[in-house]
Amino acid sequence: MAVAVGCRARPGKSRDNKTGSWRVFKPVFDHEKCSKCGMCRTLCPEGCIHEDAGGFFDPDYSFCKGCGLCATECPKEAITMKLEEK
Amino acid sequence: MAEKKNTCDLFDCGHRACGGCGEALAARLVMQAAGTETIVVNATGCMEVFSTPYPETAWKVPWIHSLFENAAAVASGIEASLKKQGRKEKVVIMAGDGATFDIGMICISGAFERGHDFAYICYDNEAYMNTGIQRSGATPYDASTTTSPAGKCSFGNKLPKKDMPAILAAHGAPYVATASVAYPADLMQKIERAINTPGPCYVQVHVPCCTGWGFEGDQTVAIAKLAIETGLWVNFEMVDGKVTKVKKVVRKPVTEYLKTQKRFRHLFKPKLQETEIAAIQAIADRNAEKYGLDIKLPPKKE
């Protein structure tokens, strides 16, 4: 008889948990200032910043916790933190 | 270096790390470097707790957690089994500084002695952050934690940080390195090298913890960078026990790093503790001498 041992979960099932609700400040990306270096994408602890077809970056607001790391590290200062309005 | 990926990461969104968590960033970068053909063994710690609250998981590779102390032993078993079956997956251990420096020491020593082929990644946030910031063997001198509180009778942790890379290099590890989330390309390169080098390899990654160290989440990378620029964290590579590569810097005074964090606040308020700061500066100076950190700038032309 097969016995299930331990706790198992489907890969990446944490996406069910929309951490975007934690956010107080929201990063707003200015594509005109962006140099497409991808630093925000590399450094986001959530991994929620994605590259679009034009090479620009945008966060997935359903997961962005609003830590502001991308805004602080952006070499072009193309990201500003704005108070979230819900 | 791993190619730039546009798809979702192997360490996915929705985990419950604090905003600006250095550890979550390290996990993402490690998985980006490791790729899909990887089995991850996680020791107990913050990363295990925030990434896998049952029935959720942020990992998209086979992942196993058993106990606090036995990650290296579990990985040894997996590696031996893979070898017997002729499979090529790589085994990566993710463990915190508590699980590495203190609790898992026996299993790590055994696994390194037996020479299993795995990469041991220690994410070092310099205390037991998950359980409420207790000091570990990795906690730096004079840091205030809940079990080494600063106050009238103490300036915080009195013991020096354990030199874990040297201990594991002494076990005969073919590749030992330290890295930091402040330099992601360098970090990923070192992880790739550790995974592709046969035998037990060790990479210790410096991951600032905004909750435990006391700073705003957006400063994680800036503080990791300051640790290197002041000489309190050294990024180096050791091949067969010999230091082969060191990140050199034009050093800043240690106060630049210390004053950014609440765990060192007692050194500045209510009054500046010059003797204690001098002792920490001496640690940075010793690092600089040992590893040859300082960039010698040519004298200015008149």
Side-chain angles (χ1 to χ4, degrees), chain B residues 6 8 34 38 59-60 76 97 117 147 168 174 187 191 216 225 247 257 289:
Chain B
N6 198 25
C8 46
T38 311
W59 302 86
K60 288 181 161 178
S76 302
D97 56 289
D117 180 15
T147 49
L168 292 178
L187 164 61
I191 302 291
E216 291 298 326
K225 215 168 257 181
K247 163 100 185 141
Y257 173 67
E289 200 182 336

Side-chain angles (χ1 to χ4, degrees), chain A residues 6-19 22 36-53 55 57 60 63 65-70 72-73, chain B residues 4-9 11-22 24-25 28-29 32 51 54-61 181-182 184-185 188 216-222 225:
Chain A
C7 307
R8 292 170 299 180
R10 212 163 29 79
K13 195 162 187 308
S14 61
R15 287 188 88 86
D16 290 359
N17 183 36
K18 306 284 185 238
T19 48
W22 299 15
K36 305 184 184 179
C37 71
M39 192 50 104
C40 52
R41 164 90 188 93
T42 309
L43 291 180
C44 175
E46 307 314 310
C48 71
I49 299 176
H50 297 284
E51 195 176 340
D52 66 15
F57 294 88
D60 182 343
F63 295 105
K65 291 169 185 164
C67 67
L69 191 60
C70 52
T72 306
E73 296 302 325
Chain B
K4 201 159 118 185
K5 292 192 193 88
N6 198 25
T7 52
C8 46
D9 293 323
F11 186 79
D12 214 345
C13 302
H15 57 74
R16 287 164 161 83
C18 311
C21 176
L25 171 53
R28 268 194 60 225
L29 295 171
Q32 203 171 323
S51 67
Y54 186 72
E56 293 168 8
T57 175
W59 302 86
K60 288 181 161 178
V61 291
V181 288
M188 288 196 281
E216 291 298 326
D218 65 327
Q219 295 299 314
T220 304
V221 170
K225 215 168 257 181

Side-chain angles (χ1 to χ4, degrees), chain B residues 250-286:
Chain B
V250 177
R251 271 196 302 144
K252 293 178 176 171
V254 290
T255 45
E256 299 275 307
Y257 173 67
L258 302 177
K259 71 185 180 194
T260 55
Q261 303 159 48
K262 270 189 200 157
R263 62 176 177 161
F264 295 116
R265 186 172 49 183
H266 56 282
L267 301 176
F268 300 94
K269 284 176 184 174
K271 69 178 176 73
L272 193 68
Q273 304 293 344
E274 280 168 8
T275 352
E276 293 302 310
I277 288 172
I280 298 173
Q281 184 64 56
I283 296 172
D285 293 345
R286 273 201 300 278

